[in-house]
Amino acid sequence: MINVESPIINTAKLTTVSQLDSQKVFGVLNGEWFRQSKAAEVPFYIEAQPTDLCNFACHYCSYAFRRENSDYASWDFETAIRFAEFVREQPVRVLCLSGGGEPLTWKYMPAFLERLIGIPYLKKMLITNGSLIRKKISPELLQDFSYLLVSIASTEAETYRQTMRGAALKSDTLKHVLSLPSLFSKPGPDLNACVVISRTNDQHLDQVATDLVERGFDFVYFKAEYNYEPLGERLSQDRRERIRETKFQLSPEVAERTNLLTFLHDSEEKEAQDTNQRPECLNLQYILHVMINAVGDIYPCIPRIGNPIYSLGNIRTSQSMQPLKKLLQARQALQKIHEEYRVGQCGRCRFKKYNDLVYEAEQVGMSAFINGNYKHPDFI
């Protein structure tokens, strides 16, 4: 049996594939967690986006485009309290707070976080630009989180401002974000940085990695713009070659705490496997992951977010959390997505690679696993 806190890495049959961060793959490769997920009455992992608002305007993000074509939305206080109580009372194992914007701009976030303190067995994660930690959200409310992922385009002020814009244009924003490691005592959350690579910041990437590690960030993920979201610009072959040929100067200590040397290979999109190997998406098969957006709609499938015909319910319009409790009985509603998966019509999704890795792991058997600690960037 693999300890749930241990990193999950490759077997002999998986040597050509990057290893996985156990916090991001929900512990499914762990035998005990996998059995629990099959019997759970609620999703194992919930990603909540309580607001569409954002105080940044990153040029690699579709936020500005989305705001031109829809109204702002945020959960109300009643929804916040009902959802917090649901997470406290039900066997949810992972809660990730992210956003169609910046989750910490949500008006009720402090009250919501207070109600999540001290829940046994719950891993809490936050994806943020970091600018409002301490300024609006007390670090004490995040101290028992497992994982914080902070978006940082660069450690050079002008590049940071040019890439992330909005509140990033303020003179003290970058300085504040870079000081975040000093706000948390150890043991505390893993504090990771995510650098989305675009035309404005694709220079001196090794210096960015070194700066962030030396400032106390636990790991630095690099991610191509088009892997951040589908509207992002793809890396041209020329740019890929330029990055590949760059002589990155990384000390051994920094190299093991970043994916910079492998992100080009790891970011290649992988299509869904043949149906004879994996006839169903594991996420849909066991409802491992659902996402609840700012409108309140519940989606079991990442590429379908925003399309109401794929929503399995709404936690704002319902007077209870029944839509979440009944997800495992929603087989008829999920059948259309299953069929699209089987014929390879999925949108871009982290589970494509995830399904293949789990399938290979099942073939070699759990006993073949060994310890390791590489964190895979494609599951962010």
Side-chain angles (χ1 to χ4, degrees), residues 126-318:
L126 171 67
I127 300 176
T128 177
N129 60 44
S131 64
L132 297 176
I133 297 176
R134 190 177 63 183
K135 293 183 177 180
K136 178 181 177 181
I137 305 297
S138 168
E140 285 73 22
L141 294 175
L142 303 172
Q143 181 64 39
D144 68 341
F145 271 57
S146 300
Y147 182 90
L148 305 182
L149 182 68
V150 183
S151 298
I152 305 176
S154 177
T155 55
E156 194 279 318
E158 184 55 36
T159 301
Y160 178 85
R161 290 194 291 264
Q162 181 182 358
T163 304
M164 306 195 80
R165 305 181 302 185
L169 295 173
K170 296 180 180 179
S171 60
D172 68 333
T173 299
L174 177 59
K175 182 179 179 180
H176 173 74
V177 171
L178 294 177
S179 72
L180 292 180
S182 67
L183 302 183
F184 298 95
S185 58
K186 296 295 184 181
D190 277 355
L191 187 59
N192 290 208
C194 180
V195 181
V196 178
I197 298 176
S198 66
R199 289 186 178 275
T200 60
N201 70 337
D202 64 358
Q203 302 294 314
H204 312 298
L205 300 179
D206 49 354
Q207 186 59 53
V208 172
T210 298
D211 287 349
L212 290 170
V213 169
E214 290 181 348
R215 290 177 182 272
F217 286 86
D218 294 298
F219 200 87
V220 183
Y221 294 99
F222 288 87
K223 192 170 208 176
E225 183 177 344
Y226 70 92
N227 275 333
Y228 175 77
E229 59 175 68
L231 292 178
E233 180 182 353
R234 299 187 67 87
L235 288 172
S236 67
Q237 190 59 37
D238 287 345
R239 291 180 70 210
R240 293 182 68 89
E241 289 302 320
R242 186 171 72 247
I243 294 173
R244 183 177 286 113
E245 293 172 0
T246 301
K247 305 299 182 183
F248 292 126
Q249 302 297 314
L250 297 174
S251 68
E253 294 77 12
V254 173
E256 67 181 11
R257 292 168 63 183
T258 179
N259 70 318
L260 179 58
L261 301 181
T262 62
F263 91 93
L264 282 175
H265 172 267
D266 293 335
S267 65
E268 295 292 346
E269 185 175 352
K270 189 168 186 176
E271 295 302 319
Q273 274 286 357
D274 180 80
T275 58
N276 291 328
Q277 291 191 337
R278 173 62 62 192
E280 290 187 312
C281 173
L282 277 169
N283 176 44
L284 297 175
Q285 186 176 1
Y286 300 115
I287 312 295
L288 297 173
H289 173 283
V290 298
M291 183 175 289
I292 309 173
N293 66 7
V295 176
D297 285 331
I298 304 165
Y299 294 94
C301 179
I302 298 170
R304 273 73 176 190
I305 294 165
N307 188 335
I309 69 172
Y310 294 105
S311 174
L312 301 185
N314 187 289
I315 66 170
R316 293 185 66 183
T317 58
S318 172

Side-chain angles (χ1 to χ4, degrees), residues 15-58:
T15 53
T16 60
V17 185
S18 295
Q19 300 152 8
L20 306 180
D21 176 357
S22 59
Q23 292 184 16
K24 291 304 296 181
V25 298
F26 330 138
V28 170
L29 294 186
N30 174 277
E32 180 181 358
W33 275 39
F34 198 21
R35 285 194 298 273
Q36 289 178 7
S37 71
K38 294 180 182 181
E41 296 178 354
V42 298
F44 218 51
Y45 176 111
I46 298 177
E47 183 170 345
Q49 300 181 345
T51 184
D52 276 347
L53 294 170
C54 191
N55 58 341
F56 278 31
C58 305

